[in-house]
Amino acid sequence: MLSLIRRAETEIIVKKSRFVSIALPCQRSEDVKALVQSVRKEHEGANHVVHAAVLGQMGTIYSSSDDREPKNTAGRPALEVLKGSGITNILVCIVRYFGGTLLGTGGLVKAYGDAVKAVLPLLETEELIEKKRVNLILSYDLYTQLKRIFEKHGASIEEENFDINISVAVLIRSDRFDGFKKDVNDLGQGRIDISLLD
């Protein structure tokens, strides 16, 4: 599966109605509503903000909404196109500005499907690789050497807290975790607390 890296946007016109397609990276189903609301704020004059989302490691978690368009004429056709793209962790909002001409149910299904198809070629994606979130607690004297281990294993720092000890949350590919953990334990000799998050 591929995963969306950054936002992309395009627009199509169908019988004077504007359909603005906005693709957004989205990791969790609980984030869908807030992202849709932010698009709604950007396009306050729009008649509809329809959405479709494909989420999860295997791309098997779905969300869609017709947003007051006739049932199954907007969110579902948009979702079907998205499901066929091989991309996960993606939310596409289709913002419609009504142009004065009714499209009918068949016309709506086609327009919303085409709106998603239009944004797909613009998407920047990466291969979805399973990662683990790891938390480490250590003393200051080990920090410089620990950062070398991060570099060696391609671990990316998500969060750091400097207090009596240093607490670091990192993301690391699952297939590199065992080697990473071994190097951390060899460095710390029991002085680095390592635990999995999530």
Side-chain angles (χ1 to χ4, degrees):
M1 297 284 312
L2 296 170
S3 179
L4 183 64
I5 299 171
R6 59 181 58 87
R7 176 178 171 140
E9 186 172 329
T10 191
E11 181 179 317
I12 62 171
I13 308 283
V14 181
K15 292 186 178 173
K16 296 182 183 168
S17 278
R18 283 176 62 212
F19 291 84
V20 182
S21 303
I22 302 165
L24 301 160
C26 182
Q27 307 293 324
R28 306 172 316 158
S29 49
E30 49 266 41
D31 296 336
V32 169
K33 192 173 179 182
L35 287 167
V36 172
Q37 284 303 111
S38 71
V39 170
R40 208 179 287 283
K41 276 190 185 141
E42 283 177 46
H43 293 272
E44 286 181 352
N47 300 84
H48 306 279
V49 179
V50 167
H51 85 268
V54 175
L55 310 167
Q57 197 71 27
M58 305 305 294
T60 52
I61 301 164
Y62 309 122
S63 173
S64 67
S65 152
D66 292 317
D67 191 38
R68 302 181 329 277
E69 291 281 30
K71 190 173 165 60
N72 295 331
T73 61
R76 179 167 285 173
L79 180 60
E80 289 307 315
V81 172
L82 208 50
K83 280 161 68 174
S85 71
I87 301 169
T88 187
N89 295 340
I90 180 171
L91 165 70
V92 177
C93 293
I94 304 103
V95 180
R96 183 183 182 198
Y97 290 91
F98 183 58
T101 305
L102 294 173
L103 301 180
T105 54
L108 285 171
V109 167
K110 184 174 181 341
Y112 279 103
D114 287 349
V116 176
K117 285 177 191 167
V119 80
L120 292 179
L122 307 176
L123 302 183
E124 283 185 63
T125 58
E126 65 182 358
E127 194 69 40
L128 184 65
I129 296 162
E130 192 177 322
K131 294 181 179 173
K132 293 183 186 290
R133 290 183 72 225
V134 183
N135 194 62
L136 303 127
I137 299 170
L138 60 142
S139 57
Y140 281 79
D141 60 314
L142 296 171
Y143 186 62
T144 303
Q145 292 161 282
L146 184 68
K147 283 185 92 167
R148 288 193 199 109
I149 293 173
F150 293 168
E151 286 171 26
K152 175 183 171 184
H153 293 279
S156 58
I157 296 171
E158 279 198 317
E159 197 178 320
E160 291 177 297
N161 291 309
F162 297 89
D163 202 355
I164 296 167
N165 288 312
I166 300 173
S167 172
V168 189
V170 297
L171 265 180
I172 182 151
R173 286 174 50 155
S174 296
D175 59 351
R176 294 185 178 171
F177 175 70
D178 290 340
F180 171 78
K181 186 176 178 184
K182 181 186 182 309
D183 285 355
V184 169
N185 287 333
D186 287 350
L187 168 67
Q189 299 293 313
R191 293 172 49 222
I192 300 175
D193 179 53
I194 181 167
S195 58
L196 286 171
L197 299 169
D198 298 339

